[in-house]
Amino acid sequence: MYELGALRALDEAFEGIDFTRLDCYVGVSSGAFLAAGLANRLGTEEMCRIFITGDSDDVQFRPESFLRPALFEYMRRAASLPRLTLAWWRSLLTPGDSRWSDLVARFGGLVPTGLFDNREIERFLREVFTRRGRSNDFRELGRTLYVVAVDLDSGEAVRFGGPDWDDVPISRAVQASAALPGLYPPVEVRGRHFVDGALRRTMHASVLLERGIDLLIGINPLVPFNSSNSDGDGGQRRPEDSEHRLAEGGLPAVLSQTFRTLLQSRMQVGLAKYAQQYPDIDQVVFEPNAGDGELFFSNAFSFSARRRICQLAYRNTLDDLRQRADALRPMLAAHGIRLRDEILDDQQRTVLTGLSSPPPPRSTETTARLRRALDDAERVVAARRPRRRTRRA
């Protein structure tokens, strides 16, 4: 939800760039959802209607589908309990050194690899990407898309959409890239098990930089919380927040801060290295405010808070653009992109302000494909139209 709000802000504030027609995309973990959507010509407005307002005539999003208990995984693990128990009792009856550590080791295999069933995620994406002119095949997109996941058994990062991996359905690749250990079970592809792509690297920016692009735009939604910089404006202050002691928030707060710190430190090291390796490529990354306590302490399992999180991201990104405007303007201008001051100067603007009202008329499968084809034709004609010559001063 944070990435969607940030992306919507960039889409509105940048003039001269179409985020559904970039040369190439790379998506990691939750970013794989948005990258796959953009590559399939789902714009930020439509994605806001799908995930935030719920008034899309195209996709019906049901949050509960993403948080269904992994009952099959539970039963599969529980089925091995009698065999493990029998083996353990035999080991106790056999003379030797049996310790409680052996008990933990033996019965550790009973713990499910994930709390929730991610098969519904794949089914949802497959339904979205197989109609209205979209594609669930990397090779048919018309744009280069990479979805990165990590092979659990080897630790190797695999680029779905790249050589030898472009025949894997996009929905399956996103399911694998977003399989965060503990929440979702690993996803099997070609006999190999894959988990969240962020476990190896945070953004995998090198996937795009190696292609010789001109401009890299990245969104990193996870930064460690810095309570000393938190001003609490509009935030949901918690006891552990006000006392500047995250440890009092218990294990969830500690794990969240640890995970965020590891991800950001790796990303900072990578970006510093990329700046030296690719000095001719402009790179700009947008991140949350480290002092935003409301964002850090939001319930990750509460889909009811998704509009608030999206709005926080939208406002944070616009604030970031205002603060960095002097440095960004000449860099973006070199790529034909202009910052829209009317968007940046609107202090009352929300993530819903730019959504067309009322929603676009409902479309059938045929009219949606026709509209897509007409849009393509219009862009081809515009690209071939001769430009007016300007008088040189």
Side-chain angles (χ1 to χ4, degrees):
M1 293 300 105
Y2 188 93
E3 290 174 344
L4 177 56
L7 191 61
R8 180 60 182 165
L10 297 178
D11 194 12
E12 289 193 326
F14 287 1
E15 182 180 3
I17 183 173
D18 185 346
F19 281 87
T20 66
R21 295 178 180 272
L22 302 183
D23 292 319
C24 42
Y25 303 83
V26 58
V28 184
S29 193
S30 59
F33 285 88
L34 298 182
L38 291 175
N40 256 299
R41 305 262 295 278
L42 274 174
T44 59
E45 177 176 349
E46 181 62 21
M47 285 196 279
C48 282
R49 294 194 180 281
I50 294 172
F51 295 108
I52 306 301
T53 63
D55 59 354
S56 171
D57 76 316
D58 185 3
V59 180
Q60 298 301 316
F61 171 63
R62 295 179 295 274
E64 63 273 10
S65 298
F66 285 57
L67 294 177
R68 291 185 178 180
L71 298 179
F72 179 78
E73 172 72 3
Y74 299 163
M75 291 186 293
R76 187 175 70 86
R77 296 285 172 174
S80 61
L81 177 60
R83 177 177 54 81
L84 291 175
T85 303
L86 179 60
W88 180 60
W89 276 108
R90 287 177 177 175
S91 66
L92 291 180
L93 297 176
T94 303
D97 187 14
S98 295
R99 301 178 181 274
W100 283 106
S101 59
D102 297 332
L103 176 63
V104 174
R106 286 180 179 274
F107 288 91
L110 295 177
V111 180
T113 56
L115 296 176
F116 305 111
D117 188 353
N118 50 8
R119 291 179 298 177
E120 286 298 320
I121 296 177
E122 192 278 332
R123 186 178 296 113
F124 169 79
L125 293 175
R126 181 171 11 108
E127 179 183 351
V128 172
F129 294 153
T130 53
R131 54 191 175 86
R132 295 202 172 188
R134 295 182 287 264
S135 176
N136 200 29
D137 192 326
F138 284 98
R139 298 163 295 186
E140 298 178 356
L141 282 179
R143 293 289 187 274
T144 300
L145 169 66
Y146 297 113
V147 173
V148 183
V150 172
D151 187 328
L152 181 63
D153 295 316
S154 67
E156 173 192 1
V158 171
R159 305 174 184 179
F160 293 107
D164 300 327
W165 290 98
D166 57 358
D167 60 330
V168 176
I170 297 174
S171 57
R172 189 72 168 173
V174 175
Q175 178 194 11
S177 181
L180 183 64
L183 290 184
Y184 294 113
V187 176
E188 184 175 354
V189 180
R190 297 182 184 174
R192 299 166 64 175
H193 291 87
F194 292 92
V195 294
D196 197 309
L199 298 183
R200 183 64 182 265
R201 295 179 186 174
T202 305
M203 287 202 310
H204 293 267
S206 60
V207 176
L208 300 183
L209 296 173
E210 293 170 356
R211 295 176 57 88
I213 61 175
D214 301 312
L215 173 66
L216 170 71
I217 301 175
I219 298 177
N220 171 38
L222 295 176
V223 298
F225 175 58
N226 188 345
S227 59
S228 61
N229 292 337
S230 178
D231 54 14
D233 292 343
Q236 299 175 350
R237 305 295 289 175
R238 308 285 181 93
E240 60 269 33
D241 185 14
S242 60
E243 297 179 8
H244 296 179
R245 296 177 181 176
L246 288 179
E248 296 185 8
L251 182 61
V254 173
L255 290 179
S256 178
Q257 182 76 337
T258 302
F259 185 65
R260 292 163 180 262
T261 302
L262 290 174
L263 289 181
Q264 192 191 42
S265 62
R266 289 189 310 180
M267 190 194 70
Q268 290 175 340
V269 171
L271 289 178
K273 180 179 66 175
Y274 297 150
Q276 297 178 350
Q277 291 180 336
Y278 307 96
D280 297 329
I281 300 178
D282 291 321
Q283 305 173 38
V284 56
V285 177
F286 297 91
E287 296 180 326
N289 178 6
D292 194 333
E294 181 177 5
L295 179 62
F296 180 84
F297 290 106
S298 294
N299 182 3
F301 299 98
S302 174
F303 276 95
S304 62
R306 60 187 183 274
R307 179 177 297 190
R308 179 59 181 164
I309 296 300
C310 197
Q311 172 62 19
L312 283 172
Y314 183 83
R315 294 302 312 171
N316 285 347
T317 305
L318 289 182
D319 290 342
D320 194 8
L321 287 173
R322 277 191 291 270
Q323 296 172 10
R324 302 163 62 182
D326 291 341
L328 288 176
R329 287 187 196 279
M331 183 194 72
L332 294 174
H335 303 283
I337 303 172
R338 182 184 74 88
L339 282 178
R340 300 177 62 191
D341 291 322
E342 64 272 21
I343 301 295
L344 300 183
D345 295 341
D346 187 355
Q347 298 289 339
Q348 304 302 319
R349 195 173 186 85
T350 71
V351 70
L352 303 181
T353 301
L355 301 186
S356 57
S357 182
R362 291 186 173 273
S363 304
T364 64
E365 180 76 17
T366 301
T367 57
R369 288 178 177 270
L370 178 60
R371 185 179 302 148
R372 191 182 184 101
L374 290 175
D375 182 56
D376 289 337
E378 182 180 349
R379 290 183 176 274
V380 171
V381 172
R384 294 184 177 181
R385 185 178 299 136
R387 298 180 180 178
R388 293 180 56 187
R389 295 185 177 179
T390 58
R391 181 177 300 173
R392 179 176 298 178

